Amino acid sequence: TITVVGSINLDRTIRVHRMPAPGETVHASGVFSAGGGKGANQAVAARRSGAAVNFIGAVGWDSAGEHMRDLLEREGIDTAGVLTLEDQNTGQAYIVVDDGGENSIMIHGGANQAIPAEQPHVCANAITASDFVIAQLETNIQPVVEAFTLARRSGATTILNPAPALERVPDELLAVTDVIVPNETEAQVITGIDVVDDESLARAAGRLHELGVQGAIITLGHRGAYYHRDDGESGLVPAFPVEAVDTTAAGDTFIGAMASRLRPDLSNLAEAIRYGNKASSLTVQRYGAQPSIPRAAEIE
Ligand code: ADP
């Protein structure tokens, strides 16, 4: 069982031939809405890979919130830990894509930024029953610290995806993190090391490991992922060569799918990463966040 503590967004995408200039109106060639938010994406990825998944988070008192709760439930995700906050809007992302494939994104965090710090305690049963607790940095931080602390106490392994990038991941969060999974940009922001070659990559992974975690994984887009484990084992697990059309939710798919195959003692880390690479290579060949996340049968 996996518990995800994180964000839930409704993604609204609008396609235009070209971006409007300030003050200008352009006509769209289409609109599209789908489930998103890093937390929800990772939960969906883990669930579609076959894991039992509990969610801890919040939506607002609006139709987007009802819709997102319904989407997660239809995936078979346990949403008992998803609060409806009466004074908040559900998190939303407004994405404009032009004919050249360039996109501009505006995000309203809403309820995602107002998860009560005690919510993980209310959902303590879900955490106690879990092998892994996964979180990102797209919500307020206190409930994540509380959830990871409870997870540690019950022997669950905690996985932090430090996204979006923060120069300083709070010490109180690192202190309860077992595995950290940044992408290349996030790894650079955290470590201050520019990843330009194999040597700097190994150095960045080593620096992440020195933050006190048991495992560090840096995802590298079309190159795959590099890991560094406590026992000194490290290496690159190459990506699958595919034609990418939209990399939205690539990292989220990687994390959810990888966690669904990982042993809590990280003994099969390279094998789980290979599964994550395989899953996300399917995601990048399709448009959108949650609609593009594959199921176990397809991944295998
Ligand atoms: P994020 O989406 O968080 O920026 P990455 O871009 O590093 O994360 O992608 C996460 C994972 O998705 C990679 O480790 C890789 O397995 C897969 N992936 C991303 N882009 C591609 C690509 N162009 N071809 C194949 N796999 C990809």
Side-chain angles (χ1 to χ4, degrees):
T1 300
I2 293 174
T3 294
V4 177
V5 189
S7 56
I8 301 172
N9 285 341
L10 179 61
D11 288 356
R12 301 179 192 271
T13 304
I14 182 159
R15 294 190 162 273
V16 294
H17 294 305
R18 59 174 183 81
M19 299 285 173
E24 187 192 12
T25 300
V26 298
H27 288 276
S29 50
V31 291
F32 173 73
S33 76
K38 293 178 193 299
N41 295 345
Q42 292 175 20
V44 167
R47 179 73 197 124
R48 289 189 189 164
S49 286
V53 179
N54 305 314
F55 203 95
I56 297 177
V59 294
W61 182 257
D62 51 22
S63 58
E66 256 175 72
H67 178 59
M68 284 310 303
R69 181 187 292 278
D70 189 50
L71 275 184
L72 294 175
E73 280 170 8
R74 272 191 277 160
E75 293 286 341
I77 293 167
D78 187 331
T79 64
V82 177
L83 269 183
T84 299
L85 300 175
E86 296 197 17
D87 54 348
Q88 296 288 337
N89 289 116
T90 296
Q92 291 177 48
Y94 290 85
I95 305 161
V96 191
V97 187
D98 71 14
D99 280 348
E102 201 63 56
N103 63 27
S104 300
I105 303 177
M106 293 158 283
I107 293 184
H108 175 62
N112 294 318
Q113 290 296 332
I115 303 171
E118 64 272 15
Q119 182 64 358
H121 295 275
V122 177
C123 310
N125 286 344
I127 294 175
T128 311
S130 294
D131 307 295
F132 294 97
V133 176
I134 305 177
Q136 318 75 33
L137 300 175
E138 214 174 34
T139 63
N140 49 329
I141 209 131
Q142 211 50 45
V144 176
V145 173
E146 298 294 327
F148 275 15
T149 303
L150 286 174
R152 273 281 180 86
R153 214 172 285 161
S154 67
T157 299
T158 59
I159 301 178
L160 178 67
N161 170 220
L166 267 192
E167 225 157 89
R168 257 192 86 67
V169 181
D171 287 337
E172 55 172 347
L173 182 53
L174 281 175
V176 283
T177 297
D178 296 317
V179 182
I180 191 162
V181 192
N183 68 11
E184 211 168 339
T185 313
E186 290 143 10
Q188 286 179 357
V189 170
I190 294 169
T191 63
I193 298 170
D194 275 339
V195 175
V196 290
D197 53 17
D198 291 352
E199 185 273 329
S200 50
L201 176 60
R203 213 152 30 87
R207 182 76 58 85
L208 287 170
H209 179 247
E210 284 162 17
L211 295 172
V213 297
Q214 290 170 38
I217 305 169
I218 304 176
T219 64
L220 302 164
H222 69 278
R223 285 192 291 149
Y226 186 91
Y227 72 97
H228 184 117
R229 198 173 55 193
D230 235 3
D231 59 3
E233 189 180 300
S234 63
L236 177 77
V237 184
F240 289 79
V242 298
E243 193 76 44
V245 298
D246 175 9
T247 61
T248 306
D252 294 335
T253 301
F254 175 90
I255 289 167
M258 191 259 315
S260 77
R261 289 299 181 275
L262 190 59
R263 291 197 201 109
D265 66 359
L266 314 187
S267 57
N268 67 337
L269 188 58
E271 193 186 317
I273 290 173
R274 195 177 134 79
Y275 187 83
N277 282 343
K278 211 186 287 188
S280 47
S281 76
L282 291 164
T283 299
V284 302
Q285 294 177 74
R286 306 193 274 241
Y287 291 96
Q290 286 164 28
S292 71
I293 299 172
R295 291 169 197 286
E298 190 186 359
I299 299 167
E300 274 145 24

